[in-house]
Amino acid sequence: MCTLKHHRHSIYCILPPYILKAIAENGNQAQRSKALQILSCDFTFRSLRLGPRLSSDISKKRPTAFLVAGAKQRTINTANNTQTLPGTVVRAEGSPASGDPAVDEAYDGLGATYDFFWQVFNRNSIDDEGMPLNGTVHFGQDYANAFWDGQYMVFGDGDGELFNRFTLSLDVIAHELTHGVTEDETQLLYSNQSGALNESLSDVFGSLVKQYTLKQTAAEADWLIGAALFTGKVQGGNGNPAAIRSMKEPGTAYNDPILGKDPQPNHMRDFVNTFEDNGGVHINSGIPNRAFYLAAMHLGGYAWEKAGRIWYETLLDSRLKPNAKFLRFAELTIDNAKRFNAEAEVTDAWAQVGLVPLAVSI
Amino acid sequence: MKVYFKPEGGFGFFPGLNKPLELNSEDLPEDEASHLKNLIKEAQLFELSNQPLGTTHGADQKKYTIRVEDQDRQHWIQIMDTERDPGLQNLLAYLSQKQKEIRKMK
Ligand SMILES: [Zn+2]
Ligand SMILES: [Zn+2]
Ligand SMILES: [Zn+2]
């Protein structure tokens, strides 16, 4: 497990190992110990993999000297329907629309997400130090997925049968970028409850980016994740159009003969114990998702102003550990809510999904 | 030869899409059976190490477990979509396509 706190040291997070080795050998005392820490954590990871790290690690290196706070630096690549990352550059920062919808949606979506974090939380990109945003579209053939690989935000075209292209929903693009933010801030372990919290944070900020862009209040928002991703062939739940997840009513996003029924619980009593999906990270995230929705509704107005701020402060809270469980996360949001006079609303939101911190022992 | 294939992970968990696929070469048409055997051979599957993939960095990535039983030996591996080896890519493409076909037949 990587216990190193990456934040504010992210230049080290993104340096390729051979440069870290050089620092470990030639740097000053502080640089050397930091480089050694990172090398040991990253080698643990690397040794677990079958093959070499995929993309050329050198591209992680960023031109720190030219970065201006609030100025985003996007690069969109195409994998040309192969599975090679990053692919070839098709649109760089400031260049005009390409006419390829996937490319332009990724460019605009990463831009909207950057703007949200900058304007609402004064956060400068994934690492709060202006890290360039690298997206790859047209990944794989008929590839029905989007992911964050620790470096790139990657989007498939969908299979055209059940799934459309994954850049169609802004919240999905923002979800992937938020995985980078979470990895930078807390490294919430991607399995079981900590993994479901990691997933929930990506849905929370993914949905907030959409709401912020549409200027919707909590009451006006649909609280759906990936509402544009399914083709018309997929059946929704409760007579609604299908989406990947519903933060408002987890478990009702789809109910389809091929896909099955949305497996998300909306209360701790229905928590799913499973080995699948890294211990149900995309399943049990329904519980904290609904808690956030309820907190936002209790507080009213724009969800990013209070509820979003409280969740963001909790993500940055050094008391949030990589192996945190739902109850600990709930405690910390309740504690952070005090500064916003929102303790009662947040406490009640968690209580409604079955999470009641006994005495808030912080 | 028996091949077991299990996709996992991705942006969402869809119960209907994560069902394991089991193929027995004896149940396949002759030329498809030899195609499958060739894919396994070219992927050098039995020579690969089989530690589970780590999950320290990244999110929403798909992961595939492939297990092969052949006469007296059996072996399993896990790979991801970003797998670069062409042999493994071809094997993964075949198994994914096969799973889709079987799903459609039901
Ligand atoms: Zn960092
Ligand atoms: Zn690390
Ligand atoms: Zn995710």
Side-chain angles (χ1 to χ4, degrees):
Chain A
M1 189 187 82
C2 175
T3 52
L4 184 75
K5 188 80 186 98
H6 286 293
H7 195 61
R8 312 294 167 215
H9 304 286
S10 58
I11 185 68
Y12 291 98
C13 316
I14 58 176
L15 286 175
Y18 65 88
I19 292 185
L20 286 170
K21 273 188 216 158
I23 295 172
E25 277 163 25
N26 307 317
N28 67 32
Q29 188 55 46
Q31 289 169 333
R32 284 175 48 191
S33 66
K34 176 116 308 176
L36 285 169
Q37 265 180 303
I38 292 157
L39 277 170
S40 58
C41 114
D42 269 3
F43 277 159
T44 317
F45 165 67
R46 271 160 223 275
S47 64
L48 283 170
R49 300 182 65 97
L50 293 173
R53 188 101 176 105
L54 313 157
S55 23
S56 61
D57 273 327
I58 193 91
S59 56
K60 285 183 179 178
K61 215 177 124 183
R62 58 203 172 87
T64 25
F66 307 117
L67 295 174
V68 179
K72 47 194 171 278
Q73 203 187 320
R74 291 163 287 182
T75 306
I76 310 299
N77 304 276
T78 174
N80 279 315
N81 297 114
T82 70
Q83 291 173 200
T84 308
L85 290 177
T88 50
V89 176
V90 275
R91 193 172 173 194
E93 189 63 47
S95 66
S98 71
D100 176 335
V103 171
D104 296 330
E105 284 159 3
Y107 183 88
D108 294 341
L110 293 179
T113 308
Y114 178 96
D115 291 344
F116 168 82
F117 277 105
W118 175 249
Q119 290 163 11
V120 177
F121 302 130
N122 200 31
R123 183 184 188 87
N124 186 9
S125 192
I126 288 172
D127 60 350
D128 198 14
E129 294 172 69
M131 179 171 160
L133 302 172
N134 293 308
T136 291
V137 298
H138 302 310
F139 179 87
Q141 270 186 350
D142 300 327
Y143 185 64
N145 194 30
F147 63 88
W148 157 254
D149 87 327
Q151 186 178 355
Y152 299 101
M153 291 153 277
V154 183
F155 305 93
D157 292 335
D159 57 4
E161 184 198 337
L162 301 167
F163 294 92
N164 295 315
R165 61 175 183 273
F166 270 64
T167 47
L168 262 178
S169 284
L170 172 59
D171 46 283
V172 171
I173 297 173
H175 174 110
E176 295 310 328
L177 195 155
T178 303
H179 275 308
V181 174
T182 300
E183 194 169 301
D184 184 67
E185 291 294 348
T186 67
Q187 302 95 47
L188 276 168
L189 292 170
Y190 204 62
S191 60
N192 303 314
Q193 287 200 22
S194 57
L197 285 172
N198 189 324
E199 269 307 310
S200 176
L201 285 164
S202 272
D203 280 351
V204 162
F205 293 107
S207 182
L208 288 180
V209 169
K210 184 169 95 175
Q211 293 173 34
Y212 181 74
T213 305
L214 297 172
K215 297 287 169 274
Q216 289 177 328
T217 63
E220 287 163 350
D222 65 10
W223 296 95
L224 296 173
I225 301 297
L229 288 202
F230 285 131
T231 64
K233 285 181 193 160
V234 176
Q235 293 173 22
N238 297 350
N240 299 316
I244 305 276
R245 286 183 282 279
S246 168
M247 300 180 69
K248 182 179 174 179
E249 292 294 343
T252 67
Y254 57 89
N255 191 355
D256 180 84
I258 297 171
L259 288 169
K261 186 185 173 296
D262 176 2
Q264 285 210 307
N266 64 11
H267 191 282
M268 280 305 278
R269 73 171 86 87
D270 298 316
F271 186 92
V272 178
N273 283 299
T274 175
F275 290 111
E276 298 230 50
D277 186 33
N278 291 305
V281 297
H282 297 89
I283 300 172
N284 292 311
S285 57
I287 295 166
N289 274 359
R290 178 157 163 81
F292 180 80
Y293 159 78
L294 291 168
M297 289 299 284
H298 289 342
L299 293 165
Y302 293 126
W304 59 86
E305 287 181 348
K306 264 191 166 181
R309 166 62 71 173
I310 292 163
W311 257 243
Y312 182 70
E313 297 289 340
T314 304
L315 172 59
L316 265 54
D317 195 321
S318 61
R319 296 171 296 178
L320 182 65
K321 301 299 180 204
N323 61 352
K325 293 187 172 182
F326 290 178
L327 199 60
R328 181 59 176 162
F329 188 83
E331 278 175 2
L332 292 173
T333 58
I334 291 166
D335 192 51
N336 286 313
K338 289 174 185 165
R339 274 174 288 148
F340 301 90
N341 238 335
E343 194 184 349
E345 288 87 346
V346 174
T347 304
D348 182 70
W350 287 110
Q352 284 196 47
V353 300
L355 286 157
V356 183
L358 285 175
V360 181
S361 50
I362 299 293
Chain B
M1 180 189 278
K2 280 184 190 164
V3 179
Y4 166 95
F5 174 64
K6 168 80 175 138
E8 258 188 272
F11 185 83
F13 181 82
F14 308 106
L17 303 186
N18 282 52
K19 293 179 180 145
L21 169 75
E22 278 187 73
L23 293 176
N24 190 334
S25 63
E26 284 168 26
D27 301 335
L28 295 172
E30 207 176 308
D31 49 344
E32 191 177 349
S34 73
H35 178 59
L36 174 59
K37 284 176 185 170
N38 255 325
L39 285 171
I40 304 243
K41 198 177 140 201
E42 277 162 23
Q44 298 182 293
L45 188 129
F46 281 96
E47 278 85 73
L48 295 169
S49 76
N50 66 351
Q51 286 135 321
L53 292 168
T55 50
T56 310
H57 296 270
D60 301 326
Q61 300 189 77
K62 286 192 183 187
K63 180 170 85 176
Y64 306 89
T65 304
I66 303 171
R67 197 181 72 228
V68 180
E69 292 171 25
D70 187 23
Q71 289 156 7
D72 54 339
R73 55 182 189 165
Q74 62 157 313
H75 193 61
W76 63 269
I77 59 160
Q78 281 191 339
I79 58 173
M80 288 173 125
D81 289 305
T82 40
E83 176 58 55
R84 288 178 113 179
D85 178 81
L88 284 171
Q89 276 188 5
N90 290 339
L91 177 61
L92 178 59
Y94 167 82
L95 292 170
S96 300
Q97 184 58 35
K98 193 75 191 166
Q99 193 186 41
K100 213 164 151 183
E101 278 168 25
I102 287 174
R103 200 170 67 221
K104 276 187 180 171
M105 274 159 32
K106 282 175 185 166

